[in-house]
Amino acid sequence: MLVYILGVALFALGICVSVALHEAGHMLTAKAFGMKVRRYFVGFGPTIFSFRRGETEYGLKAIPLGGFCDIAGMTALDEVTPDEAPRAMYRFKTWKRTVVLSAGSFTHFVLGFIVLYLMAITMGLPNLTNKPVVDEVSQCVRGGTTAEQINNPVCQPGDPAPALAAGVQSGDEIVSVGGTPTPQWSDLLVAVQGASGPTEVEVLRDGETMTLTVDVPRVTRPADNGGTEQVGAIGVAPASLLPYGPVAALGGSLSFTGDMLVETWNRLLEFPERIPAVVEAIFGGERDPNTPVSVVGASRIGGEAVEQGLWEVFLFLLASLNFFVGIFNLLPLLPLDGGHIAVTWYERVRDWFRKLRGKVPGGPVDYTKLNAVTAVIVVIGGAVVLLTVTADIVNPIRLSP
């Protein structure tokens, strides 16, 4: 239990750091462009401590559930003093305001990449593409009519160990079997099951390709029709994580980041249709592991991962959360940063059309006209948060039953 609590606290700390750096992204870019940053605080509620350096007050508040960066004149409705007016954010060029507003999300993307890079060089990245990389080389291969017989770890005298005898090693990528390319593990299975006797197996090891001769035996396995069949087997298990060196990990992590961003966007599009399943889970239905989770649920899963020693799950979840927050925050909805970006570019496009018609710029958008829409979005967002938090308390997603 203590390890679980430590894992929950550690994941929550990771979230707090992410939020703090999100706001730091806004602050640093705003300062770089000459905007005035009044305050930078981590957390909400009562102030624990604060200090002033230059024109900015920095501090920590009691409730570590967010943070804020107070930039003078973020909208034209914000009150600014006469000395702040020339440096009010709304007076700056559109591209500069866009950079500042998107810097928070960009920080999440960078953090997600860094987490993935650390995974890549320490434990590897998830093998989502099903590459035929070997994790374990079996001491023997066994036939049988049941899964228990086939998976019996006790080898008997005379049981063949074809991959082991041929020199196949953990981390090898099997690129062909008997001249047949094997781009995925499923292709490897088909090629091996159809092989018999001495077979050339091409492997990629430490960047070098080599050819091994594997004497493939035919063993008895259960068939799909309920009977048995004779198939080839060599005794290798797939790797769920793909290892990388420090240099190769840069490209691997960048590519994996792109894949995760696409997957996160797809999951975000599916978000509304998964809400009914969350409601059902609250009232006793089985919790679908693909339903949305709150920060509470993510922290609980992080705690279970640490408790079970699954640090790859912990880090992958932390990276996933950063990518989700980064993309979600860019949605063109107020009060999200993406909503402010949308308003900023609306002003730019509107003034461009006004210029074509010989008119002067229209000035900053009146945010009071958007208050009703913003309020609706806040209420909907609050309801979703309440639902997911409730589900994560009464019927949480667990790594194991």
Side-chain angles (χ1 to χ4, degrees):
M1 176 60 77
L2 182 60
V3 176
Y4 169 76
I5 294 174
L6 176 63
V8 171
L10 191 60
F11 195 87
L13 177 62
I15 295 174
C16 290
V17 171
S18 296
V19 172
L21 292 177
H22 171 110
E23 298 300 332
H26 291 313
M27 177 186 68
L28 294 175
T29 50
K31 283 180 172 288
F33 289 135
M35 302 174 190
K36 181 175 181 180
V37 179
R38 298 165 174 156
R39 295 181 297 165
Y40 169 77
F41 273 76
V42 176
F44 294 109
T47 300
I48 296 177
F49 73 86
S50 69
F51 63 91
R52 179 171 295 277
R53 179 168 297 174
E55 63 185 9
T56 305
E57 180 185 9
Y58 303 85
L60 177 68
K61 290 184 175 287
I63 305 174
L65 296 178
F68 62 91
C69 173
D70 179 14
I71 304 173
M74 185 172 177
T75 73
L77 295 179
D78 295 345
E79 293 186 6
V80 294
T81 62
D83 64 300
E84 292 175 337
R87 300 169 59 198
M89 183 175 176
Y90 71 86
R91 292 181 179 273
F92 283 73
K93 292 184 177 180
T94 300
W95 72 268
K96 291 184 177 181
R97 293 158 64 190
T98 302
V99 169
V100 173
L101 290 168
S102 60
S105 287
F106 180 75
T107 302
H108 285 295
F109 300 147
V110 172
L111 285 173
F113 170 81
I114 292 173
V115 171
L116 291 179
Y117 180 79
L118 293 175
M119 282 185 63
I121 62 176
T122 54
M123 57 192 71
L125 293 175
N127 186 11
L128 299 182
T129 57
N130 202 27
K131 290 182 68 175
V133 176
V134 176
D135 182 38
E136 292 184 29
V137 180
S138 302
Q139 297 297 314
C140 64
V141 295
R142 302 173 58 84
T145 58
T146 65
E148 290 76 12
Q149 292 173 337
I150 295 170
N151 296 324
N152 187 345
V154 181
C155 295
Q156 302 297 323
D159 285 344
L164 184 65
V168 178
Q169 299 179 8
S170 175
D172 286 351
E173 179 181 347
I174 301 178
V175 296
S176 71
V177 174
T180 301
T182 55
Q184 293 189 321
W185 190 267
S186 56
D187 301 312
L188 170 63
L189 289 179
V190 172
V192 167
Q193 290 175 357
S196 178
T199 304
E200 288 190 348
V201 175
E202 193 175 24
V203 303
L204 182 64
R205 181 184 300 167
D206 297 328
E208 296 184 4
T209 302
M210 59 181 64
T211 302
L212 306 175
T213 300
V214 181
D215 190 3
V216 183
R218 305 289 289 181
V219 298
T220 301
R221 294 289 170 90
D224 293 336
N225 60 10
T228 60
E229 60 182 349
Q230 295 290 312
V231 298
I234 62 175
V236 291
S240 58
L241 297 173
L242 301 181
Y244 290 85
V247 177
L250 291 171
S253 301
L254 187 61
S255 175
F256 200 84
T257 294
D259 293 339
M260 286 195 67
L261 289 174
V262 172
E263 180 63 22
T264 301
W265 173 250
N266 291 335
R267 288 296 183 94
L268 193 58
L269 294 178
E270 298 170 357
F271 194 94
E273 65 188 56
R274 296 188 184 277
I275 294 301
V278 176
V279 177
E280 183 180 348
I282 293 175
F283 294 98
E286 184 178 353
R287 183 74 185 270
D288 184 347
N290 292 318
T291 52
V293 297
S294 65
V295 172
V296 173
S299 298
R300 293 186 66 158
I301 297 173
E304 286 190 35
V306 172
E307 186 177 38
Q308 298 177 30
L310 301 175
W311 286 99
E312 67 274 14
V313 175
F314 181 94
L315 292 175
F316 184 76
L317 184 61
L318 188 60
S320 300
L321 184 64
N322 271 285
F323 291 138
F324 176 82
V325 173
I327 291 179
F328 182 79
N329 193 58
L330 289 178
L331 293 179
L333 303 170
L334 290 171
L336 302 176
D337 289 337
H340 290 287
I341 292 174
V343 170
T344 297
W345 279 96
Y346 163 77
E347 292 174 349
R348 181 71 179 86
V349 173
R350 177 205 61 191
D351 290 346
W352 181 73
F353 279 110
R354 289 178 66 87
K355 183 177 180 181
L356 290 179
R357 292 180 294 170
K359 296 184 177 181
V360 298
V365 164
D366 184 357
Y367 271 76
T368 58
K369 296 180 180 180
L370 302 174
N371 283 346
V373 176
T374 302
V376 170
I377 295 172
V378 170
V379 170
I380 294 175
V384 170
V385 170
L386 181 61
L387 282 174
T388 53
V389 169
T390 303
D392 290 333
I393 292 174
V394 303
N395 193 358
I397 294 174
R398 298 186 184 279
L399 290 180
S400 57

